[in-house]
Amino acid sequence: MRVQPMGRGGRFDQRSWLGRLRDAVDGFVKRSPSRFAIVIFAGLILIFTLLFSLPVARAGEGSGTPLHDALFTAVSVICVTGLATVDMATYWSPFGNLLVFIGVNIGGVGVLTLASILGLVISRRLGLRSKLMAASDTNPSRIHVGPVSERQAVKLGEVGGLLVTVAISALVIEVTIAIAMVPSMLAAGYDAFHSVWYSFYYSAMAFTNTGFSPNPGGLEPFEHDYWMQTLLMAGVFLGSLGFPVIFALARYWRAPRRWSLHVKLTLTTTMILFVLGAGMFVLLEHANPRTYGQLDAGATVFQSFFMSAMTRSGGFATVNMHDLYGSSQLVSSMLMFIGGGSASTAGGIKVTTLAVLFLAGVAEARGAPSMEAFGRRIPRDMLRLSVSVVLWGATIVAAASIIILQITKAPFENVLFDVISAFATCGLSTGLTADLPPSGVYVMAATMFMGRVGTVTLAAALAASQRRQLFKRPEERPIVG
């Protein structure tokens, strides 16, 4: 007979405190993976807020960073937004800049993917509910609780491979782009150390769709360096596609027929928005003397494509957003609100959400019984999910805009632009964010947080809440329109 060791109070201590803690966390993850993800993200923001508040994180000698600036910077970094209330190139010390670099890479992994990794480390296994939530982060419009579809963008058995792909793809893409940027840095007159550091910094900011600049003047030294700007567009484009798309392209790049519907919708919608956005900027800004009016035709077209890519969540800019015509600011706001692909470093409501809404409109106009694309039928519950995500986003933007307008009394178009940029974690600004009082800074920080984790967790929660109902109530049609 084996005698168990006695614990405090005379009870048998059959498990260590570490084992009990692991089981408790594991139970929490299984009960509510999306809530666990929010806790993880909030915890990271708290940690980085404390770190940014340290005097060592601030350049020069003096006190630490004020709480509202430290919190806002932490939220902007972890949520990979790119908005700032301080000059990111001069305000932070080398330690502070290192925190920014590390933070955006952590945040770029994704809310639920990060939570799944931590849950795997703690519990030593990835349960079914956690796998479902990880798959929902890779493709929230295709997750099912119940019988698992064989046509998911990422099957449950591939989640482990997805998590490896997240780390490897981010590392490979960022290193490749950084190496390619070094010649541009050297040509701009920076020494070898700063050329390498700035290259890796810009590469990380591009792939994570953040948009911070480490050097004073931002992109001004590279205003006519189309190679540098092309690399930035490439990093933003790859980061905005989403890890499921990168995973599929890396695995089946020779067999497009094996791409899932999610991959095809993401690529198609992304390219359409990229081209249409550039066309709108050419049309609206070609005669604006403060932006593209002084450029020749070729430069105007290139800068319009650059603007189209960055308004999708990139955050870099070669012109002042305040100088855009009102029509161009509206187009920019629309592109920012849409954002990039699901499970990507971009924000917004996501391109697949827009695609589902468009397909629903087409099906309704044609009188078709269901939504179809690329030879596949899209379940009607995906329309409910898409509408919920859009309403959630519109509600956040409307509420934040009203509060900021009341606090600052600033022009409506500037407030709307910056609020949408915060919600969509884009990072472009008309200059309003940097001049906000502390109360407005806290509102914008909350907008960034809800915009980053809100739509994904809402989609996951709605998907997980689907349940079978063994009866149907009488049907009655209200008057619509």
Side-chain angles (χ1 to χ4, degrees), residues 81-295:
T81 303
L83 289 174
T85 56
V86 298
D87 187 347
M88 298 296 291
T90 59
Y91 190 88
W92 303 110
S93 67
F95 176 74
N97 283 316
L98 182 61
L99 288 177
V100 174
F101 181 81
I102 295 174
V104 297
N105 280 286
I106 293 176
V109 171
V111 184
L112 299 182
T113 303
L114 175 63
S116 298
I117 294 175
L118 294 177
L120 176 61
V121 172
I122 294 173
S123 66
R124 299 180 182 176
R125 63 186 183 274
L126 198 61
L128 177 61
R129 287 289 297 268
S130 295
K131 286 186 176 183
L132 287 171
M133 292 302 102
S136 74
D137 186 39
T138 66
N139 191 0
S141 64
R142 301 244 342 146
I143 186 66
H144 299 276
V145 176
V148 180
S149 170
E150 293 297 326
R151 294 296 301 177
Q152 279 184 293
V154 179
K155 299 183 180 67
L156 296 185
E158 296 175 335
V159 172
L162 169 66
L163 301 183
V164 174
T165 302
V166 169
I168 294 179
S169 61
L171 179 63
V172 171
I173 292 173
E174 287 187 18
V175 170
T176 302
I177 294 177
I179 294 174
M181 284 182 175
V182 172
S184 292
M185 297 295 171
L186 293 173
Y190 298 110
D191 57 50
F193 172 78
H194 283 91
S195 294
V196 173
W197 166 240
Y198 287 169
S199 295
F200 276 91
Y201 192 103
Y202 268 116
S203 177
M205 298 304 148
F207 181 70
T208 59
N209 281 216
T210 306
F212 289 136
S213 297
N215 58 307
L219 293 183
E220 185 177 353
F222 314 104
E223 183 179 0
H224 303 292
D225 189 342
Y226 293 158
W227 171 249
M228 175 68 177
Q229 294 181 36
T230 300
L231 291 174
L232 290 175
M233 281 195 291
V236 169
F237 180 79
L238 291 173
S240 67
L241 287 180
F243 293 117
V245 178
I246 296 175
F247 183 73
L249 294 178
R251 190 169 184 178
Y252 305 120
W253 65 277
R254 291 185 177 180
R257 293 183 179 180
R258 302 189 65 180
W259 294 352
S260 68
L261 176 61
H262 170 75
V263 174
K264 294 177 181 178
L265 280 179
T266 300
L267 290 174
T268 302
T269 311
T270 296
M271 293 307 301
I272 290 175
L273 290 174
F274 181 52
V275 175
L276 287 180
M280 291 299 296
F281 286 123
V282 170
L283 179 65
L284 299 175
E285 289 294 318
H286 72 279
N288 187 345
R290 294 177 297 177
T291 56
Y292 303 152
Q294 305 298 324
L295 303 178

Side-chain angles (χ1 to χ4, degrees), residues 311-323:
T311 51
R312 296 282 313 293
S313 194
F316 293 106
T318 55
V319 298
N320 192 330
M321 295 295 103
H322 191 270
D323 292 336

Side-chain angles (χ1 to χ4, degrees), residues 274 277-279 281-283 292 299-309:
F274 181 52
F281 286 123
V282 170
L283 179 65
Y292 303 152
T300 299
V301 171
F302 180 88
Q303 293 299 334
S304 296
F305 273 104
F306 185 84
M307 179 70 75
S308 180

